[in-house]
Amino acid sequence: FHHHDAVGARMTRQRMTAMRYSNDDVAAVTELVALHLRFHTYRLGWSDSAVRRYVRDAGDLLHELNVLTRSDCTTRNERKARTLSRRMDDLEQRIEQLAEAEELARIRPEVDGKAVMEHLGIGPGREVGKALAFLLDIRLDEGVIGEDEALRRLDAWWSTRPA
């Protein structure tokens, strides 16, 4: 029925409170009930930003929300059940892919462009971008090496470049 999620969340809060569940449990289950229908619009096609919002809104309850959503997708129609299951698999896979990509997108070299320019005594330009790309490769390959080591390697790389 219309507003099933909102009405269900309100009823959940009232019943769990009356049954003296902890405030944390009441809040978590109420949030899960409020969010559990979102998945059904996934069939319309979600952008990456919609997937990010789904993940953000679920927060620490993402796994539980996905489990609840799967268990809520019930039907005797085997074809429809397979479709819903595949759709949920697809959403979970997209969440994983975005999480990996977003994490990689946040990784930065240990020194910024301003520090590179000051250290090498150069102005803005392509060389700064190349230096940052070099430092990013190190960061991706080796993880955190420290600012001093990054600058030492930057010096070594810079000295091998043609004048």
Side-chain angles (χ1 to χ4, degrees):
F1 60 88
H2 196 53
H3 297 298
H4 164 85
D5 48 345
V7 172
R10 188 172 55 249
M11 290 171 61
T12 298
R13 178 174 302 284
Q14 291 169 350
R15 291 306 308 143
M16 288 185 74
T17 300
M19 295 172 70
R20 300 189 190 278
Y21 278 87
S22 73
N23 290 340
D24 290 342
D25 287 346
V26 171
V29 175
T30 300
E31 187 67 13
L32 288 171
V33 172
L35 294 172
H36 85 283
L37 288 181
R38 280 205 185 167
F39 166 74
H40 294 289
T41 63
Y42 187 69
R43 68 182 163 76
L44 303 174
W46 281 4
S47 64
D48 287 349
S49 62
V51 174
R52 283 189 207 96
R53 279 191 300 276
Y54 175 85
V55 171
R56 182 203 60 211
D57 292 349
D60 293 338
L61 299 172
L62 179 62
H63 174 72
E64 289 83 358
L65 178 59
N66 289 343
V67 170
L68 174 61
T69 299
R70 278 187 185 279
S71 64
D72 189 50
C73 293
T74 58
T75 178
R76 290 185 180 163
N77 181 328
E78 288 183 32
R79 188 174 56 81
K80 187 175 179 182
R82 281 193 305 272
T83 299
L84 290 168
S85 181
R86 279 194 306 269
R87 199 174 291 147
M88 192 66 206
D89 291 342
D90 180 58
L91 175 59
E92 288 176 336
Q93 184 178 8
R94 282 189 67 198
I95 290 169
E96 281 182 40
Q97 290 169 345
L98 275 175
E100 290 172 15
E102 300 289 322
E103 189 61 31
L104 287 176
R106 282 194 290 268
I107 293 177
R108 299 283 184 255
E110 293 181 59
V111 294
D112 62 12
K114 183 177 178 185
V116 167
M117 289 186 291
E118 289 175 5
H119 186 75
L120 296 177
I122 61 174
R126 279 190 199 150
E127 295 303 314
V128 175
K130 290 177 185 177
L132 289 172
F134 167 75
L135 293 170
L136 180 59
D137 284 342
I138 293 171
R139 176 81 163 83
L140 291 171
D141 291 342
E142 299 178 36
V144 176
I145 60 170
E147 186 175 335
D148 291 340
E149 179 62 14
L151 292 174
R152 188 188 69 69
R153 292 195 192 180
L154 179 62
D155 287 338
W157 173 81
W158 186 253
S159 68
T160 63
R161 298 199 33 85

